[in-house]
Amino acid sequence: MSNKNSQIILEDNRNDFSFKKNKSNINISFNRVSFIFFIFFIIFIIFSIHLVHLGSRDSKKVINENLTGTSNKLYRADIIDRNGKYLSKTVSSIDIGISTRKVINKKKLLINLKYIFPNKDFVKIQNQLKNKKFFYLEKKISEENYEKVMKLGDKSIQPEEKLIRIYPEKNLFSHILGQIDNDNNGVSGLEKSLDKILRNSKEPIQLTVDKDLQFLIREELIKFNKIFNTIGSAAILMDVNNGEILSLVSLPDFDPNQREKISDSNYINRVTKGVYEFGSVFKTFTLAAALDEKIITAETEYVDLPKSLKCAGFPIREYDKKIPSNLTAEQILVRSGNIGSVRIAQQVGEEKFKSFLSKIGVLEKIDFDIEEVGKPIQFNWGKCPLATASFGHGITTTLLQLAKAYSIVVNGGYQIKPKLLKNDSNEKKEKILSRDLSREILPILRKIVSTKDGTASLANVNGYEIGGKTGTAEKSADGEYSNKKINSFVSVFPTSKPKFVLAVMLDEPKINENYIYHYRDGSNIKYKGTPFNTAGWTTVEATGQIVEKIGPILATKYSEFNF
């Protein structure tokens, strides 16, 4: 190629080059970032508002909104005493469970739980997370810890509402109130018999019992259980005119808050369920039956009474060999004569005596507010059974029925129904015994306590006009009688205008060589040691001290009655 044809041409094209930005792509990228940021910002705002709202809400409302159950199914009405004091109350409780299948991050969950529950066994919890489908992490969780747990937001955490039935007085009313099971069903006491009512009542259920009286009587029974080394004891205080039970104590008792299954028969309700031979307290009924039928009077004389007699080859003896052979009907009861009681019963006759006992309610099972009620053992009547029943041997009943029977005998002969449920409605009274019976029997019951010939002088508390009858009975086992005893004393006061009956029973008391008795006859005599294992030295002493404690309360609350 020739040089002429070779040319180099340089051109400056800087001004001709142009760079154009892609505004469309940049705008799209910016809009996406803004939108994502906006979404996160909204989520953050919502979450923050929720946390603030959660912290400011009423904790109970928060709990209820997260529960798996409905509170209506768990509702039970409260139970209060006659003065409005709570004996049983329902509160809600929360149990926290873990559904292991729903756990997303076990390690994270464990770290969070350790922060809330530092004292728990997390080795055990790790095993439960690994081996169980569901387990309870915390029962009866506090409101504070509940909120902390729920703020974790873990779907595996499952709260469940549980009903807690609280018994503020613990053991004090256990045999009356009874218990509920873990499914909130009543299993004993009023919790069982009133189960449907407690589930539906919008108002508290009011009882006739008085918490203060119950406490004082229980304290005295506990004391005398130790003094006489008993296996148990019981007492019932009842209004003789309307059947309202002011106190019902049976020992040993239990704490219904524990919800323990009790299989030991020694925890039986000795007032309502226990069926016993009570001995000489039945002598009051023997005399009352004769007076009611107008067969004898209190002054009727019985001459040349033997110290023993035989019936079907078995001896019947006087417990006191010094008892006179000539006694009036009144003196037979005051001095607790066995042979004299047999003679009176023989005059009454089998059918009339049986009818009298049936009318006052000691022979058949009683209808009562709780289901734990004993059934008296069927009594096979006959010549010899009539004789033994006259002084309370071989015939059985419950302490509840004994209190009812004495109430009828002393209240003018009116039928009553013992009750634990407060009912202010006026019930029509049915008269089942003669008008004069109470007027005739009350002075005799008073002499048993107020005179030296009586068996209950240790209960003669000044100012309360106490009357009553003692009973000492041997306990039977496998068809034979043992040296173990049931000692009872049924007292009535004031005898001038009866208002209360107090029946006290000690199960298998023993003598106490160191116990000091203080006589209440004004002599200031003290006597050391229990001379006889009989009611006059055990239940009578306990009753006297009970009345000293509860008397001022009764006089204050029932001021219309002058003791």
Side-chain angles (χ1 to χ4, degrees), residues 171 175 216-235 249-254 266-268 270 485-487 504-512 515 530 533 537-539 541-543 545-546:
N171 295 46
H175 283 290
L216 292 172
I217 292 174
R218 181 175 180 269
E219 287 294 297
E220 289 302 307
L221 287 184
I222 290 173
K223 181 177 74 175
F224 281 100
N225 281 347
K226 295 177 181 178
I227 291 172
F228 297 119
N229 192 25
T230 73
I231 65 168
S233 59
V249 180
S250 178
L251 297 175
D253 49 28
F254 56 92
N266 199 39
Y267 282 83
I268 189 175
R270 285 175 163 82
K485 292 182 173 64
I486 292 288
N487 285 357
V504 178
M505 184 265 280
L506 299 179
D507 197 343
E508 297 186 18
K510 288 84 177 175
I511 62 173
N512 186 322
Y515 184 73
T530 309
N533 185 17
W537 294 97
T538 58
T539 48
E541 175 68 4
T543 299
Q545 295 206 25
I546 288 174

Side-chain angles (χ1 to χ4, degrees), residues 196-446:
K196 290 184 179 179
I197 296 175
L198 290 167
R199 291 177 183 276
N200 295 293
S201 176
K202 300 303 180 183
E203 299 295 329
I205 304 300
Q206 187 170 34
L207 305 187
T208 60
V209 294
D210 185 303
K211 189 189 83 168
D212 297 328
L213 296 172
Q214 182 86 351
F215 174 81
L216 292 172
I217 292 174
R218 181 175 180 269
E219 287 294 297
E220 289 302 307
L221 287 184
I222 290 173
K223 181 177 74 175
F224 281 100
N225 281 347
K226 295 177 181 178
I227 291 172
F228 297 119
N229 192 25
T230 73
I231 65 168
S233 59
I236 177 172
L237 176 67
M238 188 165 70
D239 188 317
V240 301
N241 297 305
N242 59 23
E244 287 189 352
I245 295 172
L246 302 175
S247 174
L248 189 158
V249 180
S250 178
L251 297 175
D253 49 28
F254 56 92
D255 185 354
N257 292 297
Q258 303 300 322
R259 293 193 183 182
E260 296 177 339
K261 185 177 181 180
I262 300 172
S263 58
D264 188 348
S265 60
N266 199 39
Y267 282 83
I268 189 175
N269 187 332
R270 285 175 163 82
V271 176
T272 66
K273 185 68 173 176
V275 176
Y276 307 98
E277 291 182 32
F278 285 104
S280 296
V281 289
F282 264 71
K283 293 173 183 174
T284 300
F285 305 146
T286 304
L287 178 58
L291 295 175
D292 188 57
E293 292 289 339
K294 309 295 184 183
I295 295 171
I296 62 172
T297 67
E299 290 76 31
T300 299
E301 290 186 302
Y302 292 83
V303 181
D304 295 329
L305 293 171
K307 292 295 183 289
S308 67
L309 54 84
K310 285 190 177 183
C311 194
F314 294 96
I316 297 176
R317 301 186 181 92
E318 294 288 9
Y319 90 96
D320 182 5
K321 294 181 180 180
K322 296 180 181 179
I323 192 169
S325 297
N326 299 329
L327 295 168
T328 63
E330 175 184 292
Q331 289 171 332
I332 288 172
L333 186 59
V334 171
R335 304 196 66 149
S336 198
N338 290 340
I339 306 301
S341 296
V342 172
R343 294 290 185 243
I344 295 174
Q346 288 172 339
Q347 286 181 267
V348 175
E350 180 182 325
E351 290 303 319
K352 289 182 178 179
F353 190 43
K354 179 181 177 181
S355 175
F356 181 85
L357 294 179
S358 182
K359 278 195 292 186
I360 61 176
V362 297
L363 294 182
E364 294 83 23
K365 184 177 180 179
I366 192 172
D367 180 25
F368 192 50
D369 293 325
I370 61 176
E371 296 180 13
E372 291 79 26
V373 175
K375 182 178 181 180
I377 300 171
Q378 184 176 351
F379 190 70
N380 298 316
W381 290 89
K383 181 180 178 181
C384 288
L386 172 64
T388 60
S390 70
F391 56 92
H393 185 82
I395 191 167
T396 63
T397 195
T398 65
L399 196 66
L400 171 65
Q401 290 169 273
L402 202 61
K404 172 187 175 179
Y406 266 78
S407 296
I408 295 172
V409 168
V410 303
N411 72 4
Y414 290 97
Q415 180 67 273
I416 62 165
K417 186 182 187 309
K419 56 188 175 184
L420 288 167
L421 301 180
K422 186 68 175 170
N423 182 5
D424 293 328
S425 62
N426 293 324
E427 299 176 358
K428 187 177 180 180
K429 292 184 177 182
E430 178 190 3
K431 194 167 185 62
I432 60 174
L433 301 178
S434 68
R435 184 178 301 275
D436 296 330
L437 174 59
S438 297
R439 180 179 54 80
E440 293 176 303
I441 204 77
L442 280 164
I444 304 174
L445 295 177
R446 174 61 182 148

